[in-house]
Each structure stands twice: as C-alpha cells, then as structure tokens.
C-alpha cells in the first residue's frame, strides 16, 4: 500500500504531507515497509507464477540428469 492516498484520522490531512506526529509516524512506517525486500512489491499471483517457473526449471534440469 502506498501512503499517497491515505488520510490521517488524527488531522484529516493526507498522510504524505506529514502535518501531525501521527502522519509523520505512519509515513515513516510505510516507507520502511515498502523497502523491505526484493519481493515486497510483488503480488501473490506473481510470486506463485515465479515459483511455478522455478519448479519447472528444476524439473527440467533433473530430467536432463545435470
């Protein structure tokens, strides 16, 4: 989730403006969550598709006897 569309329940301003301490804390937390890893931004469907491709590649290598 991105914080650019969130509205603060404390001050009713957009969170990305950081007008109050609650906004600033939420903005900081969301920024940290967004940068947590390579697969953090991928949807579950994409992750499943990558897993299927990986398993297919492993099965192909096992079948070739490598």
């Amino acid at each position: 989730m991105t914080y650019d569309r969130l509205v603060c329940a404390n001050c009713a301003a957009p969170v990305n403006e950081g007008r109050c301490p609650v906004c600033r804390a939420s903005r900081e937390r969301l920024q940290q969550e967004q940068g947590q890893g390579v697969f953090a931004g991928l949807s579950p469907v994409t992750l499943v598709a990558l897993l299927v491709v990986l398993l297919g590649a492993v099965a192909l290598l096992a079948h070739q006897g490598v």
Side-chain angles (χ1 to χ4, degrees), residues 8-64:
C8 178
N10 190 44
C11 68
V15 170
N16 63 349
E17 292 179 6
R19 292 185 185 178
C20 72
V22 175
C23 290
R24 289 189 288 275
S26 295
R27 181 177 60 185
E28 182 67 28
R29 182 182 52 83
L30 287 169
Q31 286 175 344
Q32 288 175 357
E33 286 178 4
Q34 286 178 349
Q36 283 187 349
V38 176
F39 300 111
L42 297 178
S43 71
V45 174
T46 305
L47 290 174
V48 169
L50 286 172
L51 181 63
V52 168
V53 169
L54 179 64
L55 289 174
V58 169
L60 182 63
L61 287 174
H63 180 68
Q64 291 179 351

